[in-house]
Amino acid sequence: MTRYFDAQASRWDADPAKLTRARITAEGIRALRPAPGGRLLEFGCGTGLLGLQLAESFDAVALVDASAAMLAQARQKIDALALNHVQTRQAERLPAQPPQDAVACLMVLHHVRDLAGFFADAHALLAPGGQLFVADLYPEDGAFHRQHADFAGHNGLDPEALAQLARAADFAQVRHAPYFTIEKTVDGAPRQYPLFLLMAQKA
Ligand SMILES: C[S@@+](CC[C@H](N)C(=O)[O-])C[C@H]1O[C@@H](n2cnc3c(N)ncnc32)[C@H](O)[C@@H]1O
């Protein structure tokens, strides 16, 4: 769906619901961090709404996305704010290095087909004690992406199934909880989509 996200990039931040969602997610992540500092990588950053909310809590931030247009929007904000410790990188999977203290993603993992591979990559990328944060949709009936003909991801995700994948990838502590609800109009009717925030820590 990279072409879809490229086309959405210039108007992504005009939706106040996306700003609110990122702000509440950042609050949830900060509450689960033992102390500020270290390196953060946000995977599927879009225009950087989550990573830029968290930027002042980290010494270095890498914003990674498959969409060049999304990253261009993020870059404009980074330059305007003169955030010299924030970098952008175009990629379709987690990089292998440098080691990170936190990896975060918001509304991205349901687009990733190989979930076990994602948890293995995240575990390899994190430094000892590093934390993985996954914020995403609970299982839904498929209506969320019904209008996207090229959507090939998951109709939401079961956080308990993800927790099992995380443990299989050697994460030591895994927990998850509901923390936010997206309101979206589907087929003319209002729908509610609850989100979970999962945290997994490398021993
Ligand atoms: C629903 S948007 C969420 C954007 C941002 N996290 C937010 O909450 O505003 C999903 C983002 O994930 C990116 N994405 C999806 N699959 C990806 C992949 N395999 N690698 C990198 N980025 C990906 C898309 O380009 C898009 O920017």
Side-chain angles (χ1 to χ4, degrees):
M1 282 187 55
T2 302
R3 274 200 307 194
Y4 167 80
F5 287 118
D6 280 340
Q8 293 293 313
S10 63
R11 49 181 178 266
W12 194 259
D13 290 7
D15 178 358
K18 293 191 170 69
L19 276 61
T20 303
R21 166 177 104 189
R23 181 174 53 76
I24 304 286
T25 308
E27 285 171 10
I29 290 174
R30 265 193 229 99
L32 291 166
R33 289 278 300 156
R39 305 183 66 94
L40 165 71
L41 186 145
E42 186 191 359
F43 182 66
C45 62
T47 63
L49 289 177
L50 175 62
L52 294 179
Q53 285 273 345
L54 289 167
E56 66 183 22
S57 303
F58 287 88
D59 301 320
V61 177
L63 300 181
V64 176
D65 203 284
S67 161
M70 285 287 203
L71 289 173
Q73 295 292 322
R75 190 76 246 164
Q76 279 182 20
K77 292 190 278 187
I78 294 163
D79 291 346
L81 296 166
L83 294 174
N84 297 326
H85 68 305
V86 182
Q87 310 296 323
T88 58
R89 180 164 170 179
Q90 189 173 9
E92 292 188 5
R93 60 182 297 171
L94 282 172
Q97 53 181 327
Q100 304 291 320
D101 301 293
V103 170
C105 55
L106 168 58
M107 292 294 285
V108 180
L109 208 57
H110 68 265
H111 290 284
V112 173
R113 296 294 296 268
D114 179 9
L115 296 172
F118 174 82
F119 280 98
D121 288 351
H123 192 271
L125 177 59
L126 283 164
Q131 293 170 293
L132 171 65
F133 300 97
V134 174
D136 217 308
L137 295 167
Y138 282 95
E140 49 94 19
D141 62 7
F144 195 88
H145 285 288
R146 193 168 289 146
Q147 75 275 30
H148 302 135
D150 57 344
F151 176 67
H154 310 270
N155 293 333
L157 295 164
D158 173 1
E160 200 43 49
L162 295 184
Q164 285 178 23
L165 290 176
R167 290 184 198 106
D170 240 10
F171 281 98
Q173 293 183 40
V174 189
R175 64 182 108 138
H176 57 85
Y179 78 102
F180 186 68
T181 299
I182 295 177
E183 317 270 349
K184 179 171 170 163
T185 301
V186 176
D187 299 332
R191 297 275 300 258
Q192 293 199 322
Y193 291 95
L195 302 190
F196 62 83
L197 177 60
L198 177 146
M199 192 279 287
Q201 188 157 22
K202 181 164 171 170

